[in-house]
Amino acid sequence: RVLLAQAGAVRPVAGDPQPRIGGQRAEGVEQHGQPLALLVATRMTSARAFRSSRLLVAATSLRIALAPVVMALVLAGGGTAEAVAAALFAVAAATDFLDGYFARRWGVTTKLGSFLDTTADKLLITGVLFALVAVDRASPWIAMVIVGRELSLLGLRAAVAAARGGTAEVVESWT
């Protein structure tokens, strides 16, 4: 009841032992040995989590879709195309930040989401680096160092996951 009251789904009324859902009394109806109020509130919170996870998947999918668009704009060249590419790259970076922030805040982190998030990041960064090298806007050896670092981290995470018999937690920090 404490968890449900915190979620705002079940509201006890002073002097009334029965919880209320949407202002209606839950009259001791039970299903599967659980009070109906508990089942309804659980469904409500899981529906919120489902909607939240769909929003996060959409943000990651947007990043994956933006990678080839940004690459094409960089390769097209010209002042306007490069400005649009920079703006779209900034949008992708913002969705990366917001995706991670809200996933942790809402508690809807999943192994698939973690995998897709890192894959989207690698696609975006690697694709843009290759495009910048192709138009002589970045040094090839710097691009090789960055892409090599990403691939080695990917390999190390896979080795750690294999050693643990599961998956490795993706932890990235700026320190």
Side-chain angles (χ1 to χ4, degrees):
R1 285 188 184 190
V2 172
L3 174 67
L4 297 176
Q6 288 174 349
V10 177
R11 293 183 176 86
V13 176
D16 189 357
Q18 284 297 108
R20 293 182 180 267
I21 303 172
Q24 300 295 322
R25 284 184 67 161
E27 295 289 338
V29 177
E30 293 194 4
Q31 186 177 12
H32 307 293
Q34 298 278 347
L36 181 62
L38 179 63
L39 290 172
V40 170
T42 303
R43 287 186 187 126
M44 286 163 52
T45 56
S46 65
R48 279 189 204 127
F50 180 70
R51 281 192 306 264
S52 302
S53 65
R54 284 188 8 204
L55 176 69
L56 298 175
V57 167
T60 302
S61 300
L62 175 67
R63 244 182 3 263
I64 291 170
L66 283 178
V69 173
V70 172
M71 283 178 62
L73 289 169
V74 169
L75 291 172
T80 305
E82 289 176 354
V84 172
L88 290 177
F89 188 84
V91 167
T95 60
D96 183 28
F97 170 76
L98 293 172
D99 179 26
Y101 174 77
F102 287 123
R104 286 185 292 279
R105 181 172 177 163
W106 294 335
V108 289
T109 57
T110 64
K111 293 176 185 177
L112 177 63
S114 176
F115 169 76
L116 287 176
D117 184 55
T118 56
T119 302
D121 294 343
K122 286 178 188 5
L123 281 173
L124 185 66
I125 297 298
T126 304
V128 170
L129 276 173
F130 285 163
L132 288 171
V133 168
V135 295
D136 292 328
R137 301 282 293 205
S139 173
W141 72 270
I142 291 177
M144 282 187 350
V145 168
I146 294 171
V147 172
R149 175 198 176 270
E150 293 295 325
L151 291 175
S152 63
L153 284 177
L154 183 67
L156 286 173
R157 286 189 186 121
V160 168
R164 290 185 179 173
T167 59
E169 177 101 6
V170 176
V171 179
E172 300 211 9
S173 90
W174 291 97
T175 57

